[in-house]
Amino acid sequence: MAVSGIVILMQIHVDAEKCQGHNRCYALAPELFDVDDYGNAVVIGDGSVPPELEDRARLALANCPEFAITILE
Amino acid sequence: MASTEDFTMVADWATDFDHADPQYNRNAHAIWAELRGTCPVAHSDRYGGTWLPTTHEYVREIAYDTENFTSRGVVVEKGLPLEPAPIGGAPPITSDPPFHIEARKLLLPPFAPKKIEPWEPEIRKLCNGLLDAMVDNVAQGKPIDAAADYAKRIPVNVIARMLGFPLKDEELFLEFVHNVLEGIDDEPEIRIEKFERLIQYVIAQIEDHHASPRDDLTSYLMSVELFGSKLSVEHVGGSIILLLIAGIDTTWSAIGSSLWHLATHHEDLARLVADPSLIPTAVEEFLRVYAPVTMARLVAKDHDFHGCPMKVDDWVLLPFPAANLDPLVFPDADKVLIDRTENRHSAFGLGIHRCLGSNLARLELTVAIQEFIARFPSFEIAGTEDDVVWSVGQIRGPREMPIRVIDNQI
């Protein structure tokens, strides 16, 4: 959404305590999530989601068995 | 329980269930649905006392609760495991915090997605080799066994290659797996005797790797350090046993159940053949509905669990497949929707013991289905449902599954 000419992007966050490395987010949205050497998920960059990837972010959230992903929009 | 007692059929699943009853896995979905509605934590006096929760909420709660439940025992049997917490006999699956995470960290890197992805070509080749071997029978119109001659052969070959064990010992590995996971009705002394053979085999492999180290998981485990020292032989052997046991029966069952679904639901098979882009969601849906693994815990402290008086050393089954069928969490839970996009299933467990091999299992399952339906785009069960033999015990899947190929691309 655009506010006063500033585009506010959706933000995603992975709770490292909850993530157990199921890798569903990495499989469904590799543009937004990466995995470390232990297979645990990390957000790429600062967690900002370009508008065209918002659906992917929601899909990742809806497929996380551990409820480790949150979205701020 | 008398040591000479023969297996007694179950009369009432709410008060006397036994997952070694051949009717349990065959009718698991109906049994869980019935229990979920009437008795969400069932109890049986068998195996010294066993609890069976069937809702997602309860299964999840127990999986996350490492204070009241220990992983020291993960296969329900008539005796209690000899090895104490927090390490257990097959770390890290039998370990509890805080030791668990350290032992798990050693095994996570070799099973991380980026280490598993390169195995794809080899798995595809393996699947095609197995399919090639079925061609003659198919050409002659004879049935093939998609469980025993296909699903079963894939994970055993992959894990043997990863461990650097002789591929010619395939039948022996399958026997070890059968003894541990399906021989649960054996008396403790017989179970220990059979387990000793597995231990001796693994020790011989460790010695062989000691003499000639190579680039495989066995040498890796022998080289890594935990708390500043190399792992004990017991730890290396226990972890190898875990990989061997947990890596075979489970994936074999998932592949078999998925093919069973396609053999019995022609509309889904036709749709998947026509549109292979549905494979990823179909794989997740098969994992949800036919999740092969029911884990187990031992009660660590006497406590009340939602009105159930749980006592130390009671067994608790953790039926992740039952959790996956809970209508409170999954809309249309009892329907198999191969295009289901939102699927938070717990086929690989929940919490700190998430299946270490989940990335490998997913890859094997995906490739196995892709190659099977590419070769045989139309097939059905040869005979009746009674000709399909289901496993007994905590791992659920078809063990024999005669298939008649209707249309083939050979």
Side-chain angles (χ1 to χ4, degrees):
Chain A
M1 63 193 276
V3 179
S4 309
I6 302 166
V7 178
I8 300 186
L9 296 175
M10 174 194 271
Q11 289 281 320
I12 46 170
H13 175 73
V14 175
D15 184 331
E17 291 290 311
K18 288 185 178 172
C19 175
Q20 299 293 349
H22 290 260
N23 288 307
R24 298 295 297 127
C25 55
Y26 173 62
L28 291 164
E31 306 89 344
L32 299 171
F33 300 90
D34 200 359
V35 282
D36 65 16
D37 290 345
Y38 296 98
N40 291 325
V42 286
V43 297
I44 293 174
D46 65 359
S48 298
V49 181
E52 68 275 16
L53 291 177
E54 287 183 356
D55 287 348
R56 291 292 194 96
R58 289 193 191 95
L59 195 61
L61 179 143
N63 279 278
C64 177
E66 309 283 355
F67 296 81
I69 298 171
T70 44
I71 289 180
L72 287 174
E73 48 185 332
Chain B
M1 192 171 279
S3 62
T4 53
E5 184 180 82
D6 287 327
F7 181 77
T8 316
M9 301 296 275
V10 169
D12 176 14
W13 294 105
T15 58
D16 182 41
F17 69 87
D18 189 333
H19 56 304
D21 187 314
Q23 293 305 314
Y24 178 80
N25 277 340
R26 179 177 283 275
N27 302 308
H29 289 199
I31 293 168
W32 293 327
E34 167 82 18
L35 290 176
R36 204 182 293 114
T38 56
C39 178
V41 187
H43 182 269
S44 168
D45 287 334
R46 300 190 189 213
Y47 305 98
T50 308
W51 301 92
L52 176 69
T54 45
T55 65
H56 188 277
E57 181 194 351
Y58 290 172
V59 168
R60 184 164 182 242
E61 186 178 332
I62 295 166
Y64 285 158
D65 184 350
T66 56
E67 291 292 318
N68 286 306
F69 301 93
T70 169
S71 287
R72 183 166 70 91
V74 289
V75 179
V76 172
E77 55 192 339
K78 288 182 178 174
L80 287 171
L82 302 172
E83 297 80 2
I87 300 176
I93 198 172
T94 56
S95 310
D96 293 326
F99 178 84
H100 163 267
I101 186 64
E102 303 306 323
R104 183 172 167 89
K105 271 185 189 162
L106 298 177
L107 275 170
L108 283 169
F111 288 95
K114 289 165 191 174
K115 286 288 168 60
I116 292 302
E117 283 157 14
W119 281 87
E120 182 178 335
E122 193 158 342
I123 295 169
R124 212 169 281 286
K125 198 171 145 196
L126 172 64
C127 291
N128 275 296
L130 294 166
L131 293 166
D132 290 343
M134 296 174 161
V135 164
D136 283 351
N137 277 344
V138 170
Q140 293 168 33
K142 291 181 186 165
I144 53 171
D145 191 329
D149 296 332
Y150 186 68
K152 182 181 183 176
R153 303 289 155 188
I154 299 164
V156 67
N157 272 283
V158 173
I159 202 69
R161 284 169 211 206
M162 292 181 95
L163 286 167
F165 284 14
L167 297 180
K168 66 174 174 52
D169 291 341
E170 180 179 343
E171 290 301 327
L172 199 55
F173 305 147
L174 292 168
E175 185 189 321
F176 291 146
V177 171
H178 179 85
N179 289 345
V180 172
L181 295 174
E182 298 210 56
I184 51 173
D185 212 40
D186 285 341
E187 291 307 320
E189 56 274 18
I190 294 176
R191 259 181 96 69
I192 289 168
E193 193 181 301
K194 287 179 174 174
F195 201 70
E196 189 58 32
R197 286 188 54 219
L198 165 58
I199 292 172
Q200 291 310 322
Y201 179 85
V202 169
I203 287 175
Q205 292 301 325
I206 292 172
E207 283 169 358
D208 185 57
H209 279 74
H210 188 69
S212 52
R214 41 212 116 131
D215 182 18
D216 58 32
L217 274 175
T218 304
S219 288
Y220 169 79
L221 280 167
M222 292 167 69
S223 70
V224 291
E225 293 191 351
L226 182 64
F227 306 121
S229 359
K230 294 258 176 79
L231 302 181
S232 65
V233 174
E234 291 77 18
H235 188 143
V236 173
S239 290
I240 288 174
I241 288 171
L242 158 62
L243 298 177
L244 202 55
I245 302 298
I248 296 178
D249 223 24
T250 50
T251 309
W252 157 21
S253 296
I255 297 169
S257 294
S258 302
L259 294 177
W260 176 85
H261 178 86
L262 294 172
T264 54
H265 296 79
H266 289 174
E267 65 291 357
D268 283 343
L269 175 56
R271 212 174 146 204
L272 216 47
V273 169
D275 183 4
S277 75
L278 285 170
I279 290 268
T281 50
V283 162
E284 297 307 316
E285 184 67 340
F286 295 152
L287 282 168
R288 180 183 74 84
V289 179
Y290 304 109
V293 181
T294 288
M295 248 314 125
R297 298 284 186 268
L298 281 165
V299 175
K301 295 176 185 166
D302 287 358
H303 70 286
D304 178 277
F305 184 83
H306 300 278
C308 300
M310 296 195 170
K311 304 283 180 214
V312 167
D313 288 345
D314 281 354
W315 288 104
V316 182
L317 283 165
L318 275 187
F320 291 111
N324 285 344
L325 296 167
D326 188 336
L328 283 180
V329 178
F330 299 92
D332 292 321
D334 57 348
K335 293 197 175 74
V336 181
L337 307 173
I338 61 170
D339 56 357
R340 190 187 290 268
T341 51
E342 296 192 4
N343 199 341
R344 261 183 223 282
H345 69 77
S346 54
F348 295 110
L350 291 169
I352 62 169
H353 288 280
R354 186 268 305 168
C355 170
L356 194 69
S358 62
N359 301 301
L360 177 61
R362 273 200 170 92
L363 178 61
E364 291 181 27
L365 178 57
T366 302
V367 173
I369 295 172
Q370 283 172 336
E371 295 305 320
F372 196 90
I373 67 172
R375 191 77 69 107
F376 305 134
S378 179
F379 55 90
E380 62 186 7
I381 303 291
T384 69
E385 269 302 309
D386 289 338
D387 294 309
V388 179
V389 178
W390 290 81
S391 59
V392 295
Q394 285 172 235
I395 312 299
R396 178 176 187 265
R399 290 293 168 266
E400 292 171 27
M401 185 166 61
I403 290 288
R404 190 174 77 81
V405 174
I406 300 166
D407 179 18
N408 68 72
Q409 303 290 317
I410 54 181

